Amino acid sequence: MFFPRLFARSRHCQIGGLPNPNSLMNKKRSTHSRATTNLSSEIPSVSVQKPLVLVDNHQRFHNYLRISITERCNLRCTYCMPEEGVELQPTDQLLTTEEIVRLAKIFASEGVDKIRLTGGEPTVRKDIVELIQELGNIPQIKILALTTNGIVLPRKLPKLVHAGLNAVNISLDTMDPFKFQIITRRLGFEQVLKSIDLALEHGIPLVKVNCVVQRGVNDMEIADFVAWTRDKPIQVRFIEYMPFDGNTWSDKKFMSYTEMIEKIRANGFPLDKVPDGPNETSKTYKVDGFKGSVGFITSMSENFCSSCNRIRMMADGALKVFFYLSLSFFCPSFLFLLDFLFFPLGPKYIQ
């Protein structure tokens, strides 16, 4: 796998192998002098054999890059984070737009053809339109997607589509405005609905609605979401409730996708299975005659690790191939790409 090979070149590493994961994560990363550094002039001309960096030991080809472009979020969803929010890193420790684009071009040159921008909430980033414009100009990128809560999206969507956005996932966990406020701890239900309609109006071909299902909270609305796909060409994706730090996860709130399917069929919707793509995370179903479809993301009951083709780049440049493990626990799955951009031979070894 290519990650340990790259990691061995990082300034965090010591001769003879990888550092202790815990000591690495406790070590404060230094601030880089970006503005005064001429990166290209400092990279010596070195011939380096180019490995198949995006194929891992399990022969999975990672052609899908997810980039977190901010740690900030304008909601406080109960299943996602504590009410007081999370501690944010200093801005100077996060990737700049120039760095994100540069890294994206490197990944694209190695075979990445799909990029998804996430957060936090990516639409709160002030230069998101310019960022998508730059990413959209990368010729290898076929799908440029965004995962958003939809609160800010309506006023930015026209420019984002013009810049190259062609896929969007919008989070909506309830059809009840009052319950929306309870789940998100914020207002904004009407804005989310407006975002979904605008995405369809602007001709985005891939519009998906993400719904985290919690027993006793919104599981009684599953059939309502399915009915929604009768006239809307969207895919509603029901996501199994997962534990995260600070979300007070309880197995009493967990509902497996098989139980969701039983509930849907019991409400009079005969779901038919639809063939899934080779790297699809969602198990897709459809009601005959409906314009839209439904999917089930079964992270808890039936994981899809064996077919995963995703790489996750965090807002500070940390790279992860497994979202569900802590970085300090699974050291070979991450590295700080920002360090490589400023390490003398870094860009050569990334490539």
Side-chain angles (χ1 to χ4, degrees), residues 11-279:
R11 62 181 173 80
H12 289 305
C13 245
Q14 309 201 354
I15 296 176
L18 295 171
N20 179 281
N22 294 325
S23 64
L24 173 66
M25 296 305 294
N26 290 332
K27 194 172 188 179
K28 182 176 177 64
R29 298 169 60 227
S30 62
T31 302
H32 303 286
S33 300
R34 299 171 177 148
T36 60
T37 304
N38 187 333
L39 297 175
S40 59
S41 65
E42 293 192 3
I43 301 172
S45 178
V46 178
S47 176
V48 180
Q49 185 176 0
K50 188 175 181 179
L52 296 174
V53 295
L54 297 183
V55 177
D56 65 17
N57 288 340
H58 302 284
Q59 300 306 305
R60 296 175 301 182
F61 177 49
H62 297 267
N63 65 320
Y64 177 6
L65 177 64
R66 298 173 62 98
I67 307 174
S68 172
I69 62 173
T70 181
E71 296 179 333
R72 298 182 180 277
C73 187
N74 49 1
L75 297 182
R76 294 292 182 270
C77 298
T78 56
Y79 56 79
C80 184
M81 68 168 70
E83 186 173 3
E84 65 275 12
V86 295
E87 184 178 355
L88 303 176
Q89 296 192 68
T91 302
D92 61 8
Q93 294 292 303
L94 304 181
L95 292 173
T96 65
T97 295
E98 179 185 1
E99 290 160 351
I100 291 173
V101 173
R102 186 176 182 187
L103 288 167
K105 288 179 178 178
I106 293 173
F107 277 105
S109 72
E110 297 294 341
V112 164
D113 58 9
K114 178 178 180 179
I115 291 178
R116 177 176 297 279
L117 301 185
T118 68
E121 169 50 42
T123 59
V124 302
R125 181 164 173 140
K126 294 180 180 179
D127 64 346
I128 186 172
V129 174
E130 292 77 13
L131 175 56
I132 286 186
Q133 179 76 61
E134 291 290 331
L135 296 175
N137 288 333
I138 302 175
Q140 298 94 329
I141 302 303
K142 299 175 182 177
I143 299 178
L144 185 52
L146 182 74
T147 294
T148 173
N149 58 35
I151 301 296
V152 180
L153 189 61
R155 70 171 185 262
K156 295 188 177 184
L157 186 60
K159 291 183 179 180
L160 292 175
V161 172
H162 185 264
L165 183 71
N166 58 15
V168 64
N169 289 20
I170 300 173
S171 297
L172 181 64
D173 304 305
T174 178
M175 296 288 195
D176 182 342
F178 178 69
K179 191 183 294 183
F180 177 91
Q181 187 175 349
I182 294 176
I183 293 175
T184 65
R185 302 188 180 104
R186 297 291 189 274
L187 298 172
F189 176 76
E190 296 298 331
Q191 288 294 98
V192 180
L193 293 183
K194 185 177 180 180
S195 290
I196 296 169
D197 288 337
L198 281 176
L200 294 173
E201 290 174 14
H202 280 81
I204 295 180
L206 299 173
V207 179
K208 299 177 181 179
V209 176
N210 292 342
C211 176
V212 177
V213 178
Q214 300 177 71
R215 188 189 305 277
V217 178
N218 63 345
D219 64 300
M220 67 291 297
E221 297 185 65
I222 292 177
D224 295 332
F225 276 98
V226 177
W228 203 25
T229 68
R230 185 191 308 273
D231 300 313
K232 282 190 181 293
I234 59 175
Q235 181 181 101
V236 176
R237 307 200 305 173
F238 298 111
I239 303 173
E240 290 181 343
Y241 181 40
M242 295 182 293
F244 290 102
D245 290 341
N247 76 346
T248 62
W249 186 88
S250 168
D251 58 359
K252 294 180 180 178
K253 290 184 179 181
F254 173 76
M255 176 176 284
S256 70
Y257 90 98
T258 55
E259 189 175 351
M260 295 181 206
I261 290 177
E262 290 174 1
K263 183 181 284 286
I264 291 169
R265 287 175 171 159
N267 277 273
F269 296 101
L271 291 179
D272 297 321
K273 186 70 180 71
V274 176
D276 298 316
N279 301 111

Side-chain angles (χ1 to χ4, degrees), residues 305 310 312 319-327 330 333:
C305 299
R310 291 149 183 77
R312 294 168 178 84
L319 189 69
K320 298 172 69 175
V321 293
F322 193 8
F323 179 71
Y324 203 54
L325 286 180
S326 87
L327 296 180
F330 200 52
S333 280

